[in-house]
């Protein structure tokens, strides 16, 4: 009986400690933002930037236009067909998490990009 109680306690402790890490949270957010970009949802991509709510309207529209041009250039490689998380690591001195995303193109090439992420008010944002 005592062994059963210990076993149940161990299972409860293990189950409670398997939460999502900060790196995983940042990686999921970065992948989500880049998925918006790939799908042409430029406003949502801009909203993923740190301090996006305080961007002047002119600058916001310039960013959106720049992202549209960037995505148009990607058509030379048959567009981005998939975004994958390569890895993520936290820089404890700088207080941000770098997420490495693999952009997979339609011509079967790939490109790895680094997306610095910061947690602000409980949400992960691109720095």
């Amino acid at each position: 009986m005592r062994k059963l109680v210990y076993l149940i306690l161990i299972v409860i402790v293990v189950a409670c400690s398997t939460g999502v890490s900060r790196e995983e949270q940042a990686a999921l957010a970065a992948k989500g933002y880049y998925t918006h970009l790939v799908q042409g949802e430029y406003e949502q991509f801009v909203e993923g930037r740190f301090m996006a709510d305080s961007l002047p309207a002119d600058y916001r529209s310039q960013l959106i236009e720049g992202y549209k041009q960037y995505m148009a250039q990607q058509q030379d490689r048959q567009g981005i067909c998939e975004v994958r998380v390569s890895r993520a690591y936290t820089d404890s001195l700088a207080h941000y998490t770098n997420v490495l995303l693999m952009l997979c193109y339609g011509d079967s090439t790939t490109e790895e990009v680094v997306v610095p992420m910061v947690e602000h008010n409980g949400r992960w944002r691109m720095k």
Side-chain angles (χ1 to χ4, degrees), residues 29-93:
K31 180 180 178 181
Y33 295 136
Y34 268 77
T35 300
H36 283 303
L37 179 65
V38 169
Q39 294 174 348
E41 299 167 348
Y42 305 109
E43 185 67 35
Q44 289 87 345
F45 183 73
V46 170
E47 284 301 314
R49 293 176 57 107
F50 179 64
M51 303 298 284
D53 53 345
S54 61
L55 292 174
D58 288 346
Y59 183 59
R60 178 183 292 272
S61 63
Q62 289 173 9
L63 284 173
I64 290 172
E65 189 58 36
Y67 294 133
K68 286 179 183 178
Q69 291 174 6
Y70 169 76
M71 290 306 293
Q73 291 171 350
Q74 303 317 303
Q75 292 308 311
D76 293 345
R77 297 166 73 178
Q78 299 177 10
I80 301 170
C81 58
E82 184 182 3
V83 178
R84 294 184 197 150
V85 174
S86 181
R87 69 185 183 106
Y89 61 92
T90 300
D91 184 334
S92 57
L93 295 176

Side-chain angles (χ1 to χ4, degrees), residues 25 48 62 96:
Q25 292 172 12
Q62 289 173 9
Y96 61 86

Side-chain angles (χ1 to χ4, degrees), residues 23-32 82-89 98-104 112-113:
E23 287 81 8
E24 290 170 320
Q25 292 172 12
L28 289 173
K31 180 180 178 181
E82 184 182 3
V83 178
R84 294 184 197 150
V85 174
S86 181
R87 69 185 183 106
Y89 61 92
N98 280 321
V99 176
L100 284 71
L101 295 177
M102 191 67 67
L103 305 180
C104 305
E112 191 171 51
V113 296

